[in-house]
Amino acid sequence: MMNFVVKTLANAGALGVAIWLLQDITLTGESTGKKALTLILVALVFGLVNFLVKPIVKLLTLPLFILTLGLITLVINALMLLLTSWLADKFDLSFHVEGFWTAVLGGLIISVVSWALNVVLPDSD
């Protein structure tokens, strides 16, 4: 359970950095508390997408992964971020990613920050 909380907080932090750095990834809300709650809910959706959908997509794109020496991972991460944005819209969360190239850059930022946070934060169950 603790591992789930740590990973969700790492995702929330990584999403927060991407929102802060990129103008076309937006999170809106009336107050800081609502923004924080929305960010945590979006991090949960993002974690769920990465847990359920991403392995299937990676398996289906295995030949492309080998052909591009892993660079297809950037596209897959961008698609997962766009899917999260779409789901956030369906759940009436105020999170939006504008465009594919913003999603590519956002996915790269989220991957690096999430990796760094997972190195620093404890990893115990």
Side-chain angles (χ1 to χ4, degrees):
M1 182 65 176
M2 185 65 168
N3 192 23
F4 173 75
V5 172
V6 168
K7 296 236 184 254
T8 301
L9 290 175
N11 276 341
L15 283 164
V17 170
I19 291 166
W20 179 60
L21 289 176
L22 299 176
Q23 168 179 2
D24 289 335
I25 298 178
T26 57
L27 178 75
T28 56
E30 294 90 36
S31 66
T32 305
K34 282 203 175 230
K35 284 183 181 180
L37 179 63
T38 301
L39 185 60
I40 290 173
L41 291 173
V42 169
L44 286 170
V45 170
F46 186 66
L48 199 59
V49 164
N50 280 330
F51 180 73
L52 296 175
V53 178
K54 191 174 182 177
I56 296 167
V57 172
K58 283 180 101 172
L59 182 64
L60 293 175
T61 59
L62 185 62
L64 286 175
F65 186 82
I66 294 167
L67 185 67
T68 63
L69 301 176
L71 290 177
I72 192 73
T73 304
L74 292 172
V75 174
I76 292 171
N77 288 344
L79 293 175
M80 296 305 109
L81 190 58
L82 287 171
L83 179 59
T84 300
S85 175
W86 181 77
L87 287 171
D89 183 49
K90 295 299 176 194
F91 290 131
D92 201 28
L93 298 171
S94 55
F95 173 77
H96 183 69
V97 178
E98 185 68 40
F100 176 75
W101 292 110
T102 302
V104 169
L105 190 54
L108 184 62
I109 292 169
I110 290 168
S111 295
V112 170
V113 172
S114 182
W115 169 81
L117 288 175
N118 281 317
V119 166
V120 173
L121 293 174
D123 190 23
S124 62
D125 283 326

